[in-house]
Amino acid sequence: MSPSFRDRLEVPRRRWRVATTVFALVFGAAVASALLLPKRYLSGTLILVERDSVPESVVPKVTAEDRNRQLLTLRQQLLSRTRLETILRELDPYPQHLRTRPLSFVVDEMRAAIHLTVKGNDAFTVEYQHRKPEMAMRVVDRLTRLFIEDTGRAREEQASAAQQFLDTELQRTRAELEVKERALRDYKEKHIGVLPEQMATNLATLQRLQQERQTVSTALQAALDRESALELSRGRAAPADDPDAQLAALEADLAALRARYTEEHPDVRAARLRVEEMRRRVAASRPGRAAEEVAGAGELAQARGEVARLEERGRAIEGRIAQMQGQVEQAPRVDQDLGTLTRDLDKLNESYASLMSKKMDAQMARKLEQRWKGERFRVLDPAYLPDRPSFPNLLLFTLAGLIAGLAAGIGAAFVFEDLDRTVKRKEDLVGVLPFPVIGVIGRIEPPPAAVERTVPESHAL
């Protein structure tokens, strides 16, 4: 049966010698450590980050959510291997280590002795621990100055690189912009007449041409009717007793007779006389008829010329109508192509304007970096000379030794109690003897009088 809580409370009292001895040893070791361990001195500085000198669009402000990121970035910059090696060469804070250990181990040891803590959103502290107070102060001061100088130089180079990058991007964007503008201009020149802004004019011109085609068609029909009438009238102008027709008939009869008879035949001679007589009559009446024929032919030629002119004009109008219809049909496709070219050009214009704005910001940032050296770090509290060691802390070691000694003493008492196999309880006796336990006599403390009795008194009895 396991011991009760009350029995457990009796253990430290029974084993007070063991508990006291262990407590004294642990407490003494803690105090001796605090007195004998090598002393280390801590020096530090407080640095303020002034960010208002650079435009927020170029260097955004660090907010509270960026605290861990800020601490990591500052630590990486501050504890770079190059910067620590420079301090090791200049100040030589570990002369013995540099002679006996590799440089990388010494750098890691120095890095472990440097602590960086962010204070709020715009300040941080740098602390360094060393066995010599003067060396701790010198290392902190030199590390701070190197950090500020290198950071300012890096920020200025970063601003210069940003400006060069923006200049390159501006030149590239300007070249693309010129190419797009030239392509848009050439496309408009190539498709002049079918541009979207000319659609209304083209539709109005097409409507006017259709009306003009209707007018020409009506005039052409009238001219054709007049030509037909003149031709019909000229065909009816030759009566049956026309001298020319009679002469032609007589000449045909004469030719037929000559084919059958000789020139001396009476019928041939008679026919030849009739032909000669008719020729004289035709010659006598020819001037009047010639004037009439000339007048009729002139009117017919004029009518035919009017028909040809109207037909030519109609074909020209039809060609213009086909051309305008083609332009109207091409307008949607040209509008879509122009939309694509214009959209690309607008995007390039926006990109160019944005780059110009960023370039101006970068120029201003570079000037401010040259003046303020980038993010301006200002030392609020310079490195100080420590007047007492930061390690070991006597009070802290004493308190830790006290707590650890108590815990170790009580633990040792319980360990000795568990290792002791003597009978201390009725339950233990029941487990050892085969006889029943009749009663238990509690612990009896000896009275003071009994302690003072001496052997000579007993002899007196």
Side-chain angles (χ1 to χ4, degrees):
M1 184 175 180
S2 60
S4 63
F5 180 73
R6 184 174 180 179
D7 295 333
R8 286 293 184 182
L9 292 179
E10 291 289 332
V11 172
R13 190 172 65 85
R14 286 197 302 267
R15 303 290 180 178
W16 64 271
R17 290 184 179 86
V18 175
T20 304
T21 302
V22 174
F23 169 78
L25 291 175
V26 174
F27 182 74
V31 175
S33 299
L35 296 175
L36 299 178
L37 284 176
K39 294 180 175 55
R40 296 182 182 180
Y41 297 86
L42 183 67
S43 181
T45 181
L46 178 62
I47 301 175
L48 176 67
V49 183
E50 296 180 346
R51 303 181 183 275
D52 294 336
S53 58
V54 180
E56 186 177 353
S57 59
V58 179
V59 181
K61 293 184 177 181
V62 178
T63 58
E65 290 76 12
D66 297 328
R67 186 171 182 178
N68 294 332
R69 182 179 177 184
Q70 179 191 29
L71 177 59
L72 180 61
T73 304
L74 289 175
R75 183 173 181 83
Q76 291 175 350
Q77 294 177 357
L78 187 68
L79 303 182
S80 66
R81 181 183 180 86
T82 305
R83 187 172 293 112
L84 295 183
E85 288 180 355
T86 301
I87 295 177
L88 286 174
R89 287 192 300 267
E90 291 180 357
L91 302 180
D92 194 14
Y94 306 101
Q96 296 179 354
H97 290 182
L98 288 177
R99 289 192 297 267
T100 59
R101 303 177 64 182
L103 182 59
S104 59
F105 287 95
V106 182
V107 170
D108 293 338
E109 182 177 351
M110 186 175 182
R111 184 180 288 117
I114 299 174
H115 303 280
L116 185 144
T117 307
V118 174
K119 302 291 185 180
N121 297 324
D122 53 1
F124 62 95
T125 60
V126 180
E127 296 176 333
Y128 174 67
Q129 197 174 54
H130 195 268
R131 293 183 179 181
K132 298 180 180 180
E134 297 83 2
M135 184 59 68
M137 181 184 67
R138 292 175 58 191
V139 169
V140 170
D141 180 68
R142 183 56 180 154
L143 181 62
T144 302
R145 286 190 288 110
L146 278 178
F147 171 71
I148 293 176
E149 293 172 2
D150 294 345
T151 304
R153 190 181 307 110
R155 297 289 301 192
E156 185 176 352
E157 293 175 356
Q158 183 180 0
S160 177
Q163 184 177 354
Q164 294 177 1
F165 171 76
L166 290 175
D167 288 338
T168 303
E169 288 297 311
L170 272 174
Q171 294 177 1
R172 182 184 62 80
T173 305
R174 187 184 297 111
E176 292 182 1
L177 193 60
E178 291 176 355
V179 172
K180 290 294 183 181
E181 289 177 346
R182 190 182 306 111
L184 181 61
R185 183 171 59 253
D186 294 343
Y187 190 86
K188 286 185 176 181
E189 291 176 356
K190 183 179 179 181
H191 295 84
I192 191 72
V194 295
L195 300 177
E197 57 268 20
Q198 297 175 325
M199 175 64 73
T201 303
N202 292 341
L203 290 175
T205 302
L206 181 61
Q207 184 178 4
R208 179 180 59 79
L209 288 174
Q210 290 175 347
Q211 294 176 354
E212 187 175 356
R213 180 179 62 180
Q214 183 65 29
T215 302
V216 171
S217 178
T218 303
L220 178 61
Q221 185 62 40
L224 289 173
D225 293 342
R226 184 168 177 268
E227 181 185 9
S228 300
L230 288 174
E231 290 179 350
L232 183 61
S233 134
R234 185 179 181 187
R236 289 196 304 263
D241 57 352
D242 185 19
D244 290 333
Q246 293 177 3
L247 177 60
L250 291 175
E251 289 178 346
D253 293 340
L254 178 60
L257 291 174
R258 283 177 175 175
R260 295 172 59 186
Y261 306 109
T262 63
E263 290 290 336
E264 299 298 329
H265 192 276
D267 294 337
V268 173
R269 293 173 63 183
R272 187 167 58 246
L273 291 175
R274 289 195 295 271
V275 169
E276 292 177 355
E277 179 64 22
M278 185 56 65
R279 286 177 177 172
R280 286 194 297 272
R281 291 176 57 186
V282 169
S285 62
R286 189 173 296 279
R289 290 187 302 105
E292 292 178 359
E293 290 179 359
V294 168
E299 291 181 359
L300 183 59
Q302 183 178 3
R304 289 175 177 173
E306 180 69 14
V307 169
R309 185 182 65 81
L310 290 174
E311 289 178 346
E312 180 67 22
R313 186 178 178 186
R315 287 192 293 271
I317 292 174
E318 290 292 339
R320 286 283 293 157
I321 289 176
Q323 179 183 0
M324 296 307 298
Q325 287 178 345
Q327 292 178 355
V328 171
E329 292 174 355
Q330 291 180 8
R333 180 178 58 82
V334 173
D335 188 15
Q336 183 178 1
D337 295 341
L338 283 176
T340 302
L341 293 174
T342 304
R343 183 171 57 253
D344 295 342
L345 186 61
D346 291 341
K347 289 182 178 179
L348 281 176
N349 280 323
E350 293 177 0
S351 178
Y352 186 79
S354 176
L355 287 174
M356 282 296 296
S357 176
K358 291 180 179 179
K359 180 182 177 181
M360 295 178 63
D361 291 341
Q363 289 176 347
M364 182 180 297
R366 185 178 181 184
K367 293 178 181 179
L368 289 173
E369 293 292 347
Q370 293 174 351
R371 179 179 179 183
W372 298 108
K373 299 300 180 185
E375 274 187 337
R376 181 175 153 188
F377 293 94
R378 185 156 57 94
V379 178
L380 295 181
D381 295 333
Y384 56 87
L385 181 64
D387 55 356
R388 61 178 180 272
S390 60
F391 179 87
N393 190 325
L394 181 59
L395 179 61
L396 183 61
F397 269 69
T398 302
L399 181 61
L402 179 63
I403 297 175
L406 288 175
I410 295 174
F414 278 101
V415 170
F416 274 86
E417 181 71 15
D418 291 337
L419 295 177
D420 187 4
R421 297 303 179 183
T422 59
V423 177
K424 307 177 184 65
R425 299 179 303 155
K426 179 182 70 173
E427 291 79 4
D428 298 336
L429 188 61
V430 171
V432 174
L433 298 177
F435 308 106
V437 178
I438 300 175
V440 177
I441 301 175
R443 182 182 179 85
I444 301 175
E445 296 292 341
V451 176
E452 294 177 357
R453 291 177 182 176
T454 59
V455 175
E457 293 179 354
S458 62
H459 284 293
L461 295 174

